[in-house]
Amino acid sequence: ETDGIISGLTARPGDSLPAGTPLYTLLQTETYQAVLQIDELDVKGIEKGQQVEVTADAIPDTVYQGTVTGISLAGENTGGVGVYKVTVSLELAEELLPGMSANGKITKDAKKDVLLVPVDTLKTIDGKKSVTVVKPDGTYESREVTLGLVNNEFAEVLEGVSEGEKLQVIMKLSDIYSQMGISLEGTSIE
């Protein structure tokens, strides 16, 4: 015996169906899952058993706790990028309905009390990471840095700069134009 909600009836009274044809889909209400699409650059560090925080657009201000229970070995190409499906088993998620959009936050590594800098301050020269420090007198100094954990927004700095130092942010020309509302699509610059 299984509790659930009958969904997707495939037959009506009087229909003739071949043997083995399902009559309905049963949505289980005892367990809840979210299937997240993880970018090919991030999926390598995902493992079964990792903790996940899941949010749903339709239910703001609620965070659901979950655990990674499956990782697809076959990726799908979405917009030129490989993505992999990661299945998350959720706890206490009765408000969620099938088909709702969800976002997940999987923490691969975490540290406390570290010095973080925006990744937009980093540059690579001869394979080494560096930043440009804005000195109190307004001059600039390029410094090599040793990094720890890095995500798409911030990098942990182990050596090279100190807390409170000002760093120069590196912006791409296309980002500057975008902030100004100028589109470079279809434009060639000579």
Side-chain angles (χ1 to χ4, degrees):
E1 182 176 311
T2 302
D3 290 337
I5 300 169
I6 293 178
S7 171
L9 289 173
T10 56
R12 299 179 192 271
D15 285 352
S16 242
L17 300 173
T21 301
L23 299 177
Y24 57 87
T25 301
L26 180 66
L27 302 175
Q28 293 186 0
T29 56
E30 295 170 357
T31 60
Y32 295 86
Q33 292 184 336
V35 179
L36 307 175
Q37 293 189 347
I38 307 295
D39 183 284
E40 64 190 355
L41 299 175
D42 297 323
V43 76
K44 190 163 182 119
I46 307 297
E47 298 175 0
K48 287 184 181 179
Q50 282 181 309
Q51 297 303 300
V52 184
E53 291 182 348
V54 175
T55 57
D57 297 339
I59 307 171
D61 303 323
T62 302
V63 177
Y64 301 95
Q65 300 303 314
T67 306
V68 173
T69 56
I71 305 161
S72 173
L73 297 177
E76 297 176 8
N77 190 316
T78 303
V81 176
V83 294
Y84 293 80
K85 291 183 179 180
V86 172
T87 304
V88 176
S89 178
L90 299 171
E91 303 164 10
L92 305 173
E94 293 82 14
E95 300 93 354
L96 294 177
L97 298 174
M100 284 185 170
S101 296
N103 299 299
K105 180 180 176 185
I106 302 172
T107 303
K108 295 194 294 190
D109 290 309
K111 291 184 179 179
K112 290 184 178 184
D113 299 323
V114 297
L115 178 61
L116 297 177
V117 299
V119 294
D120 292 340
T121 62
L122 299 171
K123 56 188 170 191
T124 305
I125 300 173
D126 295 327
K128 296 179 181 180
K129 297 292 185 187
S130 65
V131 296
T132 300
V133 177
V134 182
K135 297 170 80 173
D137 64 3
T139 60
Y140 299 95
E141 177 186 353
S142 182
R143 284 200 210 148
E144 188 176 318
V145 290
T146 304
L147 301 180
L149 297 176
V150 179
N151 66 21
N152 60 347
E153 292 181 59
F154 295 99
E156 174 191 11
V157 176
L158 303 173
E159 294 178 5
V161 293
S162 300
E163 184 176 351
E165 289 187 295
K166 293 182 180 181
L167 305 179
Q168 183 181 43
V169 174
I170 301 166
M171 293 186 71
K172 297 178 197 155
L173 189 56
S174 59
D175 292 340
I176 295 170
Y177 284 146
S178 176
Q179 288 180 3
M180 295 170 59
I182 300 171
S183 173
L184 294 178
E185 251 180 71
T187 305
S188 66
I189 299 175
E190 298 179 23

